[in-house]
Amino acid sequence: MVTKKRFSHLIRLIGVLLGMNLIWYLLYLLIDHTILPSPLDVYVSLFHLEGQEVATHIGYSLSRVFVGVILALIIGMLIGILMGCSALWNKLLDPVIYLTYPIPKIALLPVVMLFFGLGESSKILMVMLILVFQIIISVRDGVKAIPQNTYDVLSSIGAGRVQKFWHVTLPGALSVILSTIRISLGTALSVLFFTEIYGTEYGMGYFIMDAWLRMDYKEMYAGILLFSLVGFVLFLLVDLCEHKFMKWRKSV
């Protein structure tokens, strides 16, 4: 049953991919200009890219996303759990989150670059800023939503604070994190693209913009496809983590 469901999902993905390429080809015929090459030309250009160079660009982008996500998880979980477990800390920090969360994080890019330079730190920090506020809010709400009687059951069998945290609070926080990361990942990659335009010669953002400046549109679109593939793989990894660690969700 599970295999059949996965096969059906794969068929739908392939169908959507073919449909998107068909629309792309029709637009290519309609526009009839070098700014939009045909899908076939772009795929040919994609397979002719230098493997080592592309791997380097992808590696830099992935490392920035990975470090930014890890930092956001650490900070977001600590603050979110603290706010969810303590009414005092929630009262103190809630106004701060409420006022800073709506700020468009991409607008902070010039400020971050002024303080942290054009190197790796500013790029990682921007990815972290995109994720951390949503993780804080999701973890706090997830912890606060845990019914009190869940803790009472553990208390009745003699469980201490550490056992309650490990078996109830932490799973309650983790249950919302993967969904939050999935939602925020696309925005984080978009911001990463902008940060990679400045102060670096590595990363998919730089690769795409360099091809655009050279008016090599086939390579530019090939880079966009690769960057999209990176996002798709990261999305699949989140699904894999959810399948492995949140198996109880299947029954919900």
Side-chain angles (χ1 to χ4, degrees):
M1 182 65 180
V2 176
T3 304
K4 185 178 180 181
K5 185 177 180 181
R6 289 180 179 176
F7 180 75
S8 176
H9 183 61
L10 179 62
I11 292 298
R12 290 198 301 270
L13 286 176
I14 293 174
V16 171
L17 181 62
L18 291 175
M20 291 173 66
N21 278 275
L22 177 60
I23 294 173
W24 181 358
Y25 183 72
L26 292 175
L27 288 174
Y28 158 73
L29 294 177
L30 181 65
I31 295 176
D32 191 23
H33 196 281
T34 55
I35 61 173
L36 183 63
S38 73
L40 181 59
D41 290 338
V42 173
Y43 287 124
V44 169
S45 177
L46 179 63
F47 285 107
H48 282 84
L49 294 175
E50 187 177 342
Q52 185 175 358
E53 179 186 1
V54 171
T56 300
H57 288 297
I58 292 177
Y60 269 86
S61 292
L62 282 176
S63 64
R64 290 159 182 159
V65 171
F66 180 76
V67 176
V69 169
I70 294 298
L71 290 175
L73 282 174
I74 294 173
I75 298 172
M77 283 192 64
L78 288 174
I79 298 177
I81 290 174
L82 183 64
M83 293 176 69
C85 294
S86 170
L88 175 61
W89 280 106
N90 185 58
K91 185 177 181 180
L92 291 173
L93 295 177
D94 186 66
V96 179
I97 302 298
Y98 185 82
L99 289 173
T100 55
Y101 178 69
I103 298 175
K105 305 306 180 292
I106 191 64
L108 297 176
L109 179 59
V111 179
V112 170
M113 288 184 169
L114 282 174
F115 280 91
F116 295 92
L118 301 178
E120 297 298 304
S121 299
S122 60
K123 296 169 177 55
I124 293 171
L125 184 58
M126 286 302 301
V127 174
M128 186 202 74
L129 286 174
I130 290 295
L131 297 171
V132 69
F133 288 97
Q134 298 189 47
I135 291 175
I136 290 173
I137 294 172
S138 298
V139 170
R140 181 200 63 183
D141 294 345
V143 171
K144 291 175 69 175
I146 299 173
Q148 185 59 41
N149 58 13
T150 307
Y151 294 101
D152 295 338
V153 171
L154 290 179
S155 297
S156 66
I157 59 175
R161 288 186 177 181
V162 176
Q163 286 81 7
K164 291 178 182 179
F165 174 81
W166 184 258
H167 294 289
V168 178
T169 306
L170 186 59
L174 290 175
S175 65
V176 296
I177 285 178
L178 293 177
S179 296
T180 302
I181 291 177
R182 183 187 290 110
I183 294 171
S184 307
L185 202 54
T187 308
L189 288 173
S190 300
V191 172
L192 179 66
F193 172 83
F194 282 104
T195 63
E196 288 182 338
I197 297 175
Y198 306 99
T200 184
E201 295 182 357
Y202 300 103
M204 290 308 300
Y206 171 82
F207 179 85
I208 293 169
M209 292 303 295
D210 179 64
W212 175 67
L213 291 172
R214 291 185 285 105
M215 292 187 291
D216 189 343
Y217 299 122
K218 295 177 184 177
E219 187 172 298
M220 181 189 75
Y221 283 101
I224 294 173
L225 288 178
L226 279 174
F227 204 20
S228 301
L229 182 61
V230 169
F232 181 68
V233 170
L234 291 174
F235 200 85
L236 289 180
L237 288 176
V238 174
D239 279 347
L240 182 63
C241 290
E242 184 177 35
H243 175 75
K244 185 174 179 61
F245 299 109
M246 303 291 170
K247 294 182 179 180
W248 55 268
R249 281 189 172 183
K250 296 179 182 179
S251 59
V252 177

